[in-house]
């Protein structure tokens, strides 16, 4: 009997424990994929992942299936599961979809910002400026994700947030490479500042325009950084 399936647990508790382990496994595998620790195109070794997490293969297998539904993993019959590779064409389309969702969220946010919206966003912009000055690309990228998540959290509904999150996860497979140079980070953060200024001014039209321009700027930075694999 494996350590994550103790024999004395009632069936109901065993099912709950398995579901909890599946959730933990999914979060960790997703983190490894999004961080680049498991690169795009890599085969997912369920046995190795289970050993790494200290659990049985069952929850890992279920976690991989869940990540397949999210678009991070693809399964090939009789071959196994792999981290999804996204073509440049697919990535450019994802940027366009993100631009629409981000623009709508910022338009709504500028029209009726929740309390403390501006200080929260301003703090992130300041921290990203410091990260860019320090040439801290990983730090900048993490804060960039926080900034965009905050825009959707504050300005969009639950369904739009879920769609945006799924799109972001797919792009995270390689998007960070567009923000590794200090000048690209500074350019990106200047666009963040423009979004913040429009929200602070209470100008929905300008906020939407700034948000869409920023995501399209990210699209251009990605296109410039993309090299065929």
């Amino acid at each position: 009997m494996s350590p994550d399936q103790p024999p004395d647990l009632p069936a109901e508790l065993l099912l709950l424990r398995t579901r909890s382990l599946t959730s933990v496994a999914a979060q960790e595998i997703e983190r490894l994929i999004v961080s680049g620790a498991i690169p795009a195109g890599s085969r997912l070794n369920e046995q190795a992942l289970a050993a790494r997490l200290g659990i049985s293969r069952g929850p890992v297998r279920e976690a991989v299936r869940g990540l397949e539904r999210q678009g991070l993993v693809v399964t090939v019959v009789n071959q196994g599961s792999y981290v999804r590779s996204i073509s440049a064409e697919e990535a450019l389309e994802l940027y366009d979809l993100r631009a629409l969702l981000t623009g709508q969220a910022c338009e709504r946010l500028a029209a009726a910002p929740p309390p403390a919206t501006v200080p929260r966003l301003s703090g992130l912009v300041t921290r990203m400026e410091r990260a860019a000055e320090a040439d801290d690309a990983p730090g900048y990228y993490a804060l960039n994700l926080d900034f965009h998540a905050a825009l959707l959290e504050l300005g969009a509904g639950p369904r739009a947030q879920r769609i945006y999150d799924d799109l972001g996860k797919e792009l995270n497979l390689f998007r960070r490479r567009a923000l590794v140079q200090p000048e690209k980070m500074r350019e990106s953060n200047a666009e963040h500042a423009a979004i913040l200024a429009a929200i602070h001014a209470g100008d929905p039209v300008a906020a939407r325009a700034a948000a869409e321009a920023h995501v399209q700027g990210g699209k251009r930075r990605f296109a410039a950084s993309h090299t065929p694999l």
Side-chain angles (χ1 to χ4, degrees):
M1 182 68 68
S2 64
D4 61 311
Q5 294 181 331
D8 56 344
L9 279 179
E12 294 82 358
L13 291 180
L14 182 58
L15 178 60
L16 179 61
R17 183 179 179 86
T18 300
R19 287 176 176 171
S20 298
L21 288 170
T22 297
S23 177
V24 170
Q27 290 175 9
E28 177 60 14
I29 297 169
E30 179 183 317
R31 184 190 68 78
L32 292 170
I33 292 172
V34 170
S35 69
I38 303 179
S42 299
R43 186 176 184 277
L44 294 174
N45 186 320
E46 292 180 0
Q47 185 172 352
L49 287 168
R52 177 176 184 148
L53 297 173
I55 60 177
S56 68
R57 290 181 64 178
V60 171
R61 187 176 301 112
E62 289 302 314
V64 170
R65 288 173 182 166
L67 294 172
E68 183 178 10
R69 289 191 291 271
Q70 291 182 22
L72 290 179
V73 171
V74 292
T75 298
V76 181
V77 178
N78 298 326
Q79 293 187 32
S81 298
Y82 298 80
V83 177
R84 182 180 172 194
S85 295
I86 299 178
S87 68
E89 291 74 18
E90 287 179 288
L92 296 176
E93 182 180 11
L94 291 174
Y95 272 106
D96 290 338
L97 294 172
R98 287 181 64 249
L100 295 174
L101 288 169
T102 306
Q104 182 184 54
C106 290
E107 181 178 39
R108 294 176 59 182
L109 189 53
T117 291
V118 170
R120 177 178 174 184
L121 296 178
S122 179
L124 288 167
V125 170
T126 298
R127 292 170 65 191
M128 281 186 280
E129 182 179 352
R130 292 172 182 163
E133 290 174 351
D135 196 14
D136 178 9
Y140 182 91
Y141 188 73
L143 291 165
N144 178 61
L145 294 180
D146 289 344
F147 181 83
H148 283 271
L151 293 177
L152 270 290
E153 174 195 329
L154 295 167
R159 178 165 294 189
Q161 290 180 49
R162 287 194 298 271
I163 294 171
Y164 181 90
D165 187 49
D166 288 343
L167 293 173
K169 287 173 182 175
E170 293 186 63
L171 277 175
N172 284 346
L173 295 174
F174 52 85
R175 179 173 144 216
R176 65 182 61 235
R177 67 180 168 188
L179 291 172
V180 297
Q181 298 173 327
E183 63 271 20
K184 299 301 183 184
M185 288 185 273
R186 287 192 291 271
E187 179 182 296
S188 169
N189 206 37
E191 294 162 2
H192 292 151
I195 295 171
L196 174 60
I199 292 171
H200 193 193
D203 188 336
V205 175
R208 181 170 195 137
E212 292 184 352
H214 168 56
V215 179
Q216 292 298 334
K219 177 181 176 180
R220 289 192 298 274
R221 285 184 285 274
F222 162 74
S225 69
H226 177 72
T227 52
L229 298 179

